[in-house]
Amino acid sequence: MTRTAIFVGSFDPFTIGHDDIVRRALALVDHLVIGVGINEHKHYDRPAEERLRTIQQLYDDEPRITVKAFSDLTIDFARREGAQFVIKGVRSVKDYEYEREQADINQLLSGLETILLCARPQLACISSSMVRELFHFGMDTDQYLPKKP
């Protein structure tokens, strides 16, 4: 049986922290679907097409990764993709509490299991919102964005 997981988020932008979680998740699963969330009630700095394209270009040489957009519940996306797991990264206790609640409801509604990967200490302070804030104030954010190896 192929072990498939989804890794979902808005990824606005996709950071080196996200990239680290993706690469570590590949050691646990056979196939990873990166789900770029689209929520009509949420404001994004980058359009969905740009977020998708950026992530796809990063992993176009990795056949075990697929990148797709989704706009429904995580459990519905997981079901469509045949995923048995959700991969989530946690940087802090605050992240853990939120992700645990999400994991609990996903488990309750569908039986979907969640795998929480703790951020590496040197990456724990990096978030998409932090990168957006730095960019807004004219700071160079390249060091926080992954580059194709």
Side-chain angles (χ1 to χ4, degrees):
M1 180 172 120
T2 300
R3 294 169 305 176
T4 300
I6 58 171
F7 178 50
V8 297
S10 57
F11 305 124
D12 187 28
F14 192 82
T15 69
I16 58 175
H18 295 128
D19 181 59
D20 185 64
I21 296 296
V22 165
R23 294 185 188 283
R24 291 167 52 203
L26 287 176
L28 304 173
V29 299
D30 302 308
H31 185 240
L32 183 66
V33 181
I34 301 173
V36 178
I38 301 170
N39 181 337
E40 65 184 47
H41 302 292
K42 190 172 177 182
H43 166 77
Y44 301 103
D45 283 0
R46 290 159 186 80
E49 299 78 24
E50 180 182 331
R51 291 180 282 141
L52 275 166
R53 187 175 51 253
T54 299
I55 300 167
Q56 285 169 333
Q57 288 171 350
L58 265 176
Y59 303 112
D60 63 0
D61 293 337
E62 176 50 75
R64 298 186 306 145
I65 295 177
T66 306
V67 183
K68 295 185 176 183
F70 77 104
S71 59
D72 52 351
L73 293 173
T74 297
I75 59 173
D76 294 329
F77 181 61
R79 189 175 300 119
R80 274 195 315 281
E81 296 305 319
Q84 299 87 28
F85 309 102
V86 177
I87 303 285
K88 296 299 285 193
V90 292
R91 294 171 292 134
S92 65
V93 171
K94 181 179 169 186
D95 280 357
Y96 173 79
E97 288 296 327
Y98 175 79
E99 296 301 347
R100 165 126 188 264
E101 288 176 4
Q102 296 300 305
D104 288 348
I105 195 67
N106 290 339
Q107 203 339 287
L108 183 67
L109 292 173
S110 70
L112 187 62
E113 292 290 348
T114 299
I115 300 169
L116 300 177
L117 296 177
C118 295
R120 295 183 194 275
Q122 66 271 29
L123 300 176
C125 67
I126 299 169
S127 68
S128 293
S129 57
M130 183 270 305
V131 173
R132 285 193 311 270
E133 179 90 0
L134 292 173
F135 184 79
H136 174 78
F137 286 102
M139 300 293 291
D140 180 16
T141 57
D142 283 351
Q143 65 184 321
Y144 306 113
L145 304 174
K147 288 149 192 64
K148 190 163 175 86

